[in-house]
């Protein structure tokens, strides 16, 4: 039975990248390690008050960038529920994001 094209080495690299991102988060006071954030794997997060959807929503950070020296995360978040649910894909400041 196939593994969907995902082998042990890929899983190990993904796990190593996740551990490195977590270590980077723990050392947040030391900004010198923050350059690696752009290569961080997607991670679950909490999104606070995205545009037109006040509240706290579960999301996934899929990328990072810096704007004027501040980090922004590209997040995908589902807001609402049932037939009223919608998907947002947007860049938000890191102050609007928290680890899940």
């Amino acid at each position: 039975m196939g593994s969907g094209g995902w082998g042990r080495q890929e899983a190990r690299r993904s796990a190593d990248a996740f551990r490195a991102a977590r270590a980077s988060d723990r050392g947040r006071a030391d900004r010198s390690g923050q350059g690696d954030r752009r290569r961080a794997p997607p991670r679950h997060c909490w999104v606070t008050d995205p545009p037109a959807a006040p509240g706290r929503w579960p999301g996934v950070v899929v990328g990072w960038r810096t704007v004027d020296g501040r980090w922004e995360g590209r997040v995908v978040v589902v807001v609402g529920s049932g037939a009223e649910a919608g998907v947002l894909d947007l860049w938000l400041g890191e102050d609007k994001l928290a680890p899940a």
Side-chain angles (χ1 to χ4, degrees):
M1 177 155 308
S3 64
W6 228 63
R8 288 184 186 179
Q9 286 183 326
E10 289 84 0
R12 187 177 310 118
R13 280 194 292 265
S14 179
D16 289 345
F18 180 78
R19 280 192 285 279
R22 296 286 291 188
S24 165
D25 285 349
R26 283 192 293 271
R28 230 181 158 124
D30 174 19
R31 293 285 182 183
S32 62
Q34 293 296 313
D36 294 330
R37 188 182 286 195
R38 287 186 182 108
R39 293 189 304 247
R43 298 177 57 187
H44 287 98
C45 68
W46 289 106
V47 179
T48 304
D49 298 329
R56 188 171 180 217
W57 304 94
V60 177
V61 177
V62 296
W64 291 97
R65 70 181 181 187
T66 56
V67 175
D68 297 327
R70 295 185 43 173
W71 283 102
E72 290 185 345
R74 180 177 176 209
V75 294
V76 177
V77 58
V78 177
V79 295
S81 61
E84 300 297 317
V87 177
L88 301 175
D89 176 355
L90 61 150
W91 291 96
L92 290 174
E94 69 178 330
D95 59 318
K96 299 271 190 175
L97 308 174

